[in-house]
Amino acid sequence: MTSPTRPLQVAANRIELAIGGMTCASCAARIEKKLNRMDGVTATVNYATEKATVSYAEDITPDDLIATVEKTGYTAVVPPPPTRAGAEPTAEPVDELRGLRTRLWVSVALAVPVIVLAMVPAWQFDYWQWLSLTLAAPVVVYGGLPFHRAALVNLRHGAATMDTLVSLGTLAAFGWSLWALFLGDAGMPGMTHPFRLDITRTDGAGNIYLEAAAGVTAFLLAGRYFEARSKRTAGAALRALLELGVRDVAVLRDGVETRVPVDQLAVGDRFVVRPGEKIATDGVVEDGTSAVDASMLTGESVPVEVGPGDTVVGATVNAGGRLVVTATRIGGDTQLAQMARLVEQAQTGKAAVQRLADRISGVFVPIVIALAAGTLGWWLGSGAGPTAAFTAAVAVLIIACPCALGLATPTALLVGTGRGAQLGILIKGPEVLESTRQVDTVVLDKTGTVTTGRMTLVDVLPADGGDPAELLRLAGALEVASEHPIARAVAAGAADAGPLAPVTGFANVEGLGVTGTVEGREVIVGRLRLLRERGLDVPEEVERAVTGAEAAGRTAVLAGWDGRARGVLAVADAVKPTSAAAVAGLRALGLTPVLLTGDNATVAKAVAAEVGIAEVTAEVLPADKVDVVKRLQAEGRTVAMIGDGINDAAALAQADLGLAMGTGTDVAIEASDLTLVRGDLTAAVDAIRLSRRTLAIIKGNLFWAFAYNVAALPLAAAGLLNPMIAGAAMAFSSVFVVANSLRLRRFRPAHPTHP
C-alpha cells in the first residue's frame, strides 16, 4: 500500500484489513482465531464484508498482523480509502464474477452430457466412457480448481472444510475412474453401467464415477457463484454516502463567484447556495434566508427555516432563497463523512453469520475423511485385497460428496428471492434469513416509512361561520406562487378541490408567510405572528384550532383577509394508508414495534397513536439512532430496523436485520439486508414471513441433503454400495431439493395489495 492511504484507514491501535481468499465462514473463524492468539490483539473477522477489524498493542505493527493472516493461508491488505464525490475515477472496476461465471458455464455445458450418459444405459454407445472422460476432465481440473486450491491451502495449515471434502471426493472419483478405464475393465468396448438398485459387493474394477466428479463440481460451482453475486455490493452503502456530496461549489473570493471543485474548499471560505442546490459542506449562514430540506439527514419532515447565524449541514438541499454560507467543517470532519464512518463501523461490527452448511461440515467433513481412511485400513487389514479396499474407501468419499448440498441454499434462495421480487421484496443473501427467525423487536423510522415523507393538506378549519371551500380556495390560490413545501401542500389540496383564481401583488415575507390579492381581496397566509403583525384580528376559535393542530403534530397555516383571520389549514406528513395494518401484522408475527425518528416528539407521538405503536423515541440524530438500536440489543433483543433515509443507514447496518423502503435513498437500501421496493410497510410483514419460510426450506433441504449421506455411508464402508445406487441417491436428493425449493413459488402475501 502507498503511504498516503494508510493514515486514512489506520487509527491509533486500530486497523481495518481487507481479507482475501476466504471461501466459507470457517475461514473467517480460523483467521480470527489466529489473530486473537497474538498478545495484545483483539480481532473480529467478518466473512460477509471480507474485512477484519483489529485492535492491537503498541509493540505490534500492522505488518505483523498482515504476516499472521498470510501465514494462515490468506491475504490481507490495508484497503484504499473510498473515492470522494468529485474525484476522478482511477480505473475501470474489475468484474470479479466474470471468471467464476465463465468457469460455471463451461462446467455445466460439459457435465450435463456426462451425467446423462451415465444415468441412461440405453444411450451408452461403444466407447461412451471415453467421451465421458474427455468431457469430465476439464470440469474436474478447470472447474474444480477453486476447490482444489482451497483444499491445498487448508491442508498446508492443518485444516479441513467443505472444500476439502469436495476436492477429495471429486479427485478420488476421477482418479478411480482413470484406474478403472486404463487398468481395469471399464475401458473395454461395449462397457455399460447397468441400472441396478440392488445391494451387491463389487470390486470396482469395471465402475467409473465420472458423472459424480463432474456433477458435484458443477453443482458446487453454481452455489459458489450465487453466493459471490450476493456479496458483490459489499461497501456500496459507503460509496453511496460519499457520492451524495456535491462535486463543485461557487466560492466568493473578492466579491466574485468562482466555481471550484469541492475538494479545494477550505474552512472559512464563503460560498453561495442557490435555490434547489445542495449545500457543499457544513457551515454557518452569513447572508440570506431560506428553507432547508434536511429530511435526508435528520428525518425532520418539515423544511427548516434558516437565516444569518444558523448552522447548515452539507448535502442538505436549499429549498428557498439564495444563501451565502461560511464553511466551518470540510472533508472527513463533516456530518456526512461522520455518517459514512457510522455505516462502516456498524457493518464491520455486525457479527459474522455462520452458514448452516459450514456449521454442519465442521463436524461432518473430518468424520467422513476419518471414515474413508478407516474403511481403507479395515479392508486392507481383512485381507480382501487393495481393489476392494480402495473401492469401499472411494465409495465413502463419493456418497459423502455434498451434491444436493450445493443446491440446498442457492435454489431455495433463488426461488424465494424471485418470488419476493414479484411481491416487491429484495433479499440480499442467505445470511439475512437467519436473522428473521430470531427478531423480536422492529424499529420503524417515521418519515417516508410509516408516513408518506411529503407534506399533505389534512384538514381545513374555518372560523365560526366561515366557508371552508372559500378558505381553501383563496389560501390555495395565493400559495401556488410560493415554492415552500408547506405552501405546495396547501396549493395541491386546493387544486384538487377546483380551479384556482389568479394572484396579483404577490409578496413573500421570509420565514413567516405570503401576501397577495386574490379575487379583489388582500389575502395573508402564514404564521400567527404574520397575521398579527399585519393587524388582523385572530378569533379565539382560530387560536384553539392552531393549538389543536400543533398538539396533533401538524403544521398550522393561518389565512385571513378583510382584517380578520378566517381559519386554519392543517398540513402534515400524512400516515400511509397501510401503516396501521402493517403494524398489526408485525405484532402478529411476535414483534414489538418501536417508532424512532428525528422529528419532534409531538409529531412522533401523534403518528404512533394513529398506527398503534406504544414505544416512541423522537428527536434523535443519526448517531443516536445507532445508539438506540445498540441499547435494544444490549437488553437482549434481536432488532429489525425499517427505514428509508440517509439518517437511517447506520442504524440499518447496526440492526440484526435491516429493511429499507425502496422509495428511499440508495444509501439506506445498500446498508440494509432487505429492500421493500413497493415503499409499502405491509411489504415488511411479507418480507419477514417470506424470509422465515425460505429459511425453513433451506433447513429442510440441508437435512435431506445430509440424511441420504448418513444413511448410505455405512453401506459404502461395508463395500455393499452399488455405484448406480449412489448415483440414483445423489440424483434423487438433488431433485428433492429443487422440488422442495419450488414450493416457495406458492407464497402469498398477508395483505394482497400487489398484483
Side-chain angles (χ1 to χ4, degrees), residues 306-401:
V306 297
D310 291 331
T311 59
V312 290
V313 178
T316 55
V317 179
N318 177 16
R322 177 181 181 272
L323 295 175
V324 177
V325 180
T326 302
T328 56
R329 292 187 295 186
I330 60 171
D333 296 329
T334 63
Q335 186 171 334
L336 180 66
Q338 291 168 3
M339 291 181 67
R341 283 195 291 274
L342 279 175
V343 173
E344 189 172 28
Q345 290 167 8
Q347 286 183 334
T348 303
K350 186 184 290 185
V353 182
Q354 295 287 325
R355 295 285 194 269
L356 292 176
D358 288 317
R359 287 208 292 266
I360 299 172
S361 68
V363 177
F364 186 69
V365 174
I367 289 177
V368 169
I369 294 174
L371 184 58
T375 299
L376 178 65
W378 188 88
W379 279 99
L380 288 174
S382 67
T387 300
F390 278 102
T391 300
V394 169
V396 169
L397 288 174
I398 291 171
I399 196 63
C401 264

Side-chain angles (χ1 to χ4, degrees), residues 485-508:
I486 293 177
R488 287 200 294 267
V490 173
D496 290 340
L500 300 177
V503 180
T504 58
F506 175 83
N508 179 38

Side-chain angles (χ1 to χ4, degrees), residues 6 63 223 290 294 343 398 510 577 579 635 641 664 745:
R6 190 174 291 269
D63 290 337
S290 181
V343 173
I398 291 171
E510 296 289 353
S579 291
E635 293 172 1
M641 170 77 188
R745 295 172 65 181

